[in-house]
Amino acid sequence: MTQAALKAVPLALTGLAVALPLKLKLWNIGGEGQLYAGVVGAGFVALNLPELPAAVMVPLVVAAGAAGGCLWALLAAVPRALGAVDEIISTLMLNYVAILLVDYLVTGPWRSTEALNFPISDSFPASTRLPVWGTTGLHAGILFPLVAGMMLGALMMWSKWGFELSMTASNPSAAVIVGVPVRRNILMTMAIAGALSGIGGMIEVTMNFGTVQQGISPGYGYIGIVVATLAAGSMLGTVVIAFVMGGLVVGGLALQTLGVSDGFVLFLQGTILFFALLGSRLGGVRLLQRRERARVEPGEPLEAVR
Amino acid sequence: MNTLMTVSAAAVAAGAALLFTTVGEIITERAGVLNIGLEGMMAVGAVTGFLVMDQTGSAYAGVLGALASGAVVALVHAVFVVTLRVDQVVSGLGIAIGASGLATVIGRDLVGVPPRATVGTSEIPLLSDLPVVGDILFSQGVLTYAAIIVALAAAAFLSVTRTGLHLQAVGENPLAADGTGIKVELYRYSATVFGGALAGIGGATLSLQESPGWSQRLVGGRGWICVALVIFAFWSPSRAIGGAFLFGFLQILALEAQILDLTIPTPILAMLPFIGTLVVLILISFTGVKSRLGAPAALGRPYARGA
């Protein structure tokens, strides 16, 4: 149960990273890359400053993980905000770049001299590990999706910012006219999204791997898309669904060691998504609000901003 | 052959898979349907093609299998976006994720299996004797020629044939097209399934010709590059030829680094196609070229009669 809950942590974070930009009808498909950028950020601190005491190290790896993911998201968000460059393709391209960056680091500058045959980095110092509750194995990483989900949910419901986002989504021209900083909000939602995914990567690398290496994520960034879609873009819903689906389906199946592969999990996620789409259609309920002027057309949405 | 020619020939070979897939997606999008699930359809095509070849011993049977499997996956997309009218991005993402996963499941026992047959190369008589271009263009794999022919045929189809013009009408203004008696749903179904079939062949081009074999990372982002290539080609099949070979070139740099005496680490070179895609998109958007140039007006929008 604990294991299943911990499996859901990165999933809830990458799910939120999709759900938040979706408020602006932006598709952040880059959770996977932002997660790996967080791994690189955390690795940079852990490998370069291994002497630090845990009291300094833990906040620093958290910040570095968040910063890595944030930077990675901004690489796509800045062209989107300034030039309406389609974020679906750009965030996706950056996924591959991030994974290759990890490849480069662990076969090059960060390659451990001790593990001769494996492309992995040196082991992280124990001071990078997040606090763990007693013998349960439950670690503080679980707080991040819970707190982030609640905070973002509250912001969306009650804050002026949340209202700005939904207004921009429903009528970009009107939003610009009344002075909503659309560009800044694009950057802000994407930056927060990247930071969340990055923290997910940081948690995985410090708690489950303890070394920078390939294959830290079995596709959390992609499954996060399914999770956020099933939650119809709701923040709290995303966290709940991540724990139900990620915890029970991903964690549960993997725990039974039935030889279930990452590929099967992805196939299952895609199938669940289609059944949910079918169900919502037949039930007459829209899973996601129909996007008038479907926003994917490059340059088309938020045209008024330009 | 000198180094440059070797690299150029390899670039053309590597562009073939991209070209099939991009042309298919152009046809799909010209009918007004966006299918960003290319990555998944290529993966299913690649693994099905290899599987059928492994069972039958015939590479061409494999290509047919890939064609059929890509079409079936695209049919799922068509049912959801044309008939059920769900968000095309969501369905496309579902295809990309689910079909990539499915390909991994199908191919679990095929990783590392040596191919029993591959699609061979064929030298075009006379033309292959030409200096320089003979080696680069006319001593290629059969599927590479097929890709170029398909691209040219698609261009002719769109601009010359009645059906092609109807298809464009469906993508530009489905309401008006419907009004003149064109069956909008039929065109959108056909175009989507056709795009899937070509993406399937694109996948088979990888697993049966370019680098025969199957692994989970075989497609490795090419499907997404093709989504961008459609924009790069301004939705024109003939312009896609140049784009595909350009990105083929960026792809083989990592593979041919040793021949080229490049001292840049392989992972960095392997980033080039992805960074290149990003740069191209940014350039298109910032240099004032309208990025929607050539984009079908009704792209991504569901059509419901009377809605």
Side-chain angles (χ1 to χ4, degrees), chain A residues 83 281 291 293 296-297 300, chain B residues 84 87 285 292 299 301:
Chain A
R281 210 63 208 165
R291 277 170 202 72
R293 302 299 288 160
V296 71
E297 302 156 51
E300 182 63 25
Chain B
L84 296 172
D87 189 297
S285 146
R292 304 223 339 116
L299 178 60
R301 280 193 281 168

Side-chain angles (χ1 to χ4, degrees), chain B:
Chain B
M1 275 206 284
N2 66 29
T3 309
L4 189 66
M5 280 163 62
T6 312
V7 170
S8 303
V12 171
L18 301 179
L19 188 53
F20 272 123
T21 311
T22 305
V23 169
E25 177 68 6
I26 287 174
I27 296 292
T28 304
E29 292 195 15
R30 289 297 280 267
V33 177
L34 181 79
N35 185 355
I36 60 172
L38 298 179
E39 181 80 6
M41 298 192 301
M42 283 183 87
V44 166
V47 76
T48 309
F50 193 84
L51 181 67
V52 171
M53 178 278 296
D54 195 57
Q55 298 294 318
T56 62
S58 159
Y60 290 100
V63 174
L64 282 179
L67 181 154
S69 66
V72 168
V73 176
L75 186 61
V76 174
H77 184 66
V79 169
F80 273 86
V81 304
V82 180
T83 302
L84 296 172
R85 296 193 292 278
V86 306
D87 189 297
Q88 301 192 356
V89 173
V90 178
S91 176
L93 286 171
I95 296 281
I97 296 170
S100 297
L102 177 64
T104 311
V105 175
I106 297 173
R108 204 168 50 177
D109 300 326
L110 292 173
V111 177
V113 172
R116 287 169 61 197
T118 60
V119 176
T121 58
S122 166
E123 301 195 347
I124 307 273
L126 300 178
L127 289 175
S128 60
D129 297 330
L130 292 173
V132 187
V133 288
D135 286 328
I136 296 175
L137 285 180
F138 299 109
S139 309
Q140 288 285 350
V142 174
L143 288 174
T144 309
Y145 303 125
I148 298 171
I149 292 168
V150 165
L152 295 174
F157 164 75
L158 281 176
S159 56
V160 177
T161 68
R162 176 180 287 266
T163 318
L165 294 173
H166 284 179
L167 183 129
Q168 291 193 53
V170 167
E172 296 293 340
N173 192 338
L175 186 64
D178 196 10
T180 62
I182 298 171
K183 293 189 171 61
V184 173
E185 293 208 339
L186 178 68
Y187 270 88
R188 289 195 161 177
Y189 261 93
S190 312
T192 308
V193 168
F194 179 78
L198 282 197
I201 299 180
T205 307
L206 296 173
S207 67
L208 294 174
Q209 177 177 291
E210 188 183 328
S211 49
W214 165 254
S215 80
Q216 197 173 342
R217 290 179 84 170
L218 180 69
V219 178
R222 285 175 177 84
W224 294 106
I225 288 177
C226 291
V227 177
L229 270 175
V230 173
I231 302 170
F232 186 46
F234 299 125
W235 288 266
S236 147
S238 50
R239 265 189 295 237
I241 299 175
F245 293 149
L246 174 66
F247 278 84
F249 174 72
L250 291 180
Q251 272 179 7
I252 54 106
L253 277 183
L255 298 173
E256 309 280 347
Q258 282 171 332
I259 300 179
L260 290 166
D261 279 332
L262 293 173
T263 50
I264 306 164
T266 309
I268 302 286
L269 286 171
M271 291 177 189
L272 282 178
F274 306 109
I275 295 175
T277 306
L278 210 51
V279 169
V280 163
L281 284 180
I282 291 173
L283 285 180
I284 287 178
S285 146
F286 280 90
T287 50
V289 181
K290 282 293 282 179
S291 59
R292 304 223 339 116
L293 198 68
L299 178 60
R301 280 193 281 168
Y303 174 70
R305 188 177 278 185

